Amino acid sequence: MLTSKQRAYLRGIANTIDTIVHIGKGGMSDEIIKQADDALTAREIIKGKCLESSPITPREAADTIAEKINADVVQVIGFKFVLYRPNPDEPVIKLPKAKK
């Protein structure tokens, strides 16, 4: 679970990255989930987009993908969403410490 400070930090990183997951009129598929899983393993943070022709909302898409691949939803704005999952072997992104 991410704190608000960690979310803010990840949102700042997400501003500069390109959208790599696109969900179109075909909706959610195993290929999209696999693509997101592979991308998160390599990058730790990804940005996705639901096209206007998509039968699902960006919130539904982000929640579905995050649940299936054990990731965190950082934000959903408009048609775009950001997902984060730390790489267990070689983490690249250093999150701010959570206060106890």
Side-chain angles (χ1 to χ4, degrees):
M1 191 71 177
L2 296 171
T3 66
S4 60
K5 191 173 200 173
Q6 291 169 335
R7 263 183 224 288
Y9 178 75
L10 292 171
R11 282 195 306 267
I13 293 173
N15 274 339
T16 61
I17 64 174
D18 293 327
T19 304
I20 59 171
V21 175
H22 296 275
I23 301 170
K25 65 182 177 183
M28 190 66 62
S29 67
D30 291 338
E31 290 83 22
I32 290 173
I33 292 169
K34 171 116 174 66
Q35 177 188 9
D37 188 30
D38 292 344
L40 279 171
T41 300
R43 303 172 185 219
E44 294 186 325
I45 189 167
I46 60 169
K47 191 184 291 185
K49 180 177 183 178
C50 282
L51 304 177
E52 291 182 27
S53 61
S54 173
I56 61 175
T57 66
R59 172 56 70 182
E60 291 170 339
D63 288 341
T64 301
I65 293 171
E67 181 181 325
K68 291 190 179 196
I69 63 174
N70 196 25
D72 289 308
V73 178
V74 176
Q75 73 176 357
V76 178
I77 293 182
F79 291 105
K80 294 190 177 189
F81 57 90
V82 178
L83 301 175
Y84 168 76
R85 183 181 69 197
N87 187 329
D89 301 327
E90 300 173 18
V92 175
I93 298 173
K94 302 284 187 217
L95 291 177
K97 297 286 184 208
K99 291 184 180 178
K100 294 184 180 183

